[in-house]
Structure formats: C-alpha cells, structure tokens
Amino acid sequence: QVQLVESGGGLVQPGGSLRLSCVLSGRTSSAYTMGWFRQAPGKEREFVAGIIWNSGSTDYADSVKGRFTISRDNAKNTSYLQMNSLKPEDTAVYYCAASSHFALGIRSPGAFGSWGQGTQVTVSA
C-alpha cells in the first residue's frame, strides 16, 4: 500500500496561483497512475488531473485545462498540481490519489485505491 500526504493549500485571491504537493511513501512502485480530485461542499468528488508516473502522460478535466498542470518528480516521490488563474469555483478540498493500474482517462474516484487526507484551497477576494 502506498501512503499519500498532500500539502500546499491555502487562501488565494482570484487570478492567483498555488502549487499543491503530494508525497508518496510505502510501496511507491505500486503508484502507476496518479490523480488529483477535488470536492466542494455539497458536491461529489470530481476529477481534476491525472498522470502516468513512468511516462508522464497527462489528462485534465475541461474545467482546468490550460490553467492547471500536473507533474511528478520521481527522485522526490512527489506529484505536483500547479494551479494558475484560480477562480472562486476552484474552491474545494483537493485530494491526491494513486492507482496501481493504468487509469489515465478513467476519471472515476473508484479507479483509485489510495488517497491522501486532502488540503483545502479557497479562492476568494
């Protein structure tokens, strides 16, 4: 089992930027696909971005395409979500997740077996 710990959330003004980090530990070799999801109050958890750990291939939700960038650093066992041009509707708890299978393009939370505890992102003036 791989353990995931997110950090980097906070309060930012509209148009601002944040970078979220997700550090992997434990059986890191089992993290074939990494994903970032978010959940706003009263809403279902939704897919934000995904990356294949080895190849770096990526997938983005239409709502964040062109504004968010997912990446990974193999040496640091860390995945990042760079968020630019933030909007109030981006406010949510952000979670990183890992799947031991190829799950790129499969945007369902059920495809990911390991989850972090989440980090709050609030976009407000």
Side-chain angles (χ1 to χ4, degrees):
Q1 188 81 352
V2 61
Q3 290 79 46
L4 309 173
V5 178
E6 304 99 332
S7 63
L11 173 64
V12 63
Q13 293 186 343
S17 298
L18 281 175
R19 189 177 78 158
L20 306 183
S21 300
C22 175
V23 178
L24 284 69
S25 62
R27 290 187 60 193
T28 58
S29 60
S30 66
Y32 191 92
T33 307
M34 296 296 302
W36 284 91
F37 291 76
R38 66 187 181 187
Q39 189 166 17
K43 295 188 176 181
E44 293 186 353
R45 192 167 298 189
E46 65 173 359
F47 170 82
V48 175
I51 188 168
I52 297 297
W53 192 264
N54 289 336
S55 70
S57 298
T58 58
D59 180 35
Y60 295 94
D62 288 345
S63 59
V64 306
K65 197 172 295 183
R67 299 189 298 123
F68 291 10
T69 302
I70 187 172
S71 62
R72 85 278 187 249
D73 185 325
N74 290 342
K76 296 182 178 180
N77 284 329
T78 301
S79 174
Y80 302 99
L81 185 68
Q82 177 67 43
M83 305 185 295
N84 299 329
S85 302
L86 282 161
K87 305 174 181 180
E89 51 263 44
D90 294 318
T91 296
V93 177
Y94 282 71
Y95 299 89
C96 68
S99 171
S100 59
H101 306 288
F102 182 90
L104 202 65
I106 302 174
R107 301 177 173 183
S108 168
F112 294 80
S114 299
W115 291 83
Q117 82 288 352
T119 186
Q120 176 71 46
V121 172
T122 303
V123 184
S124 175

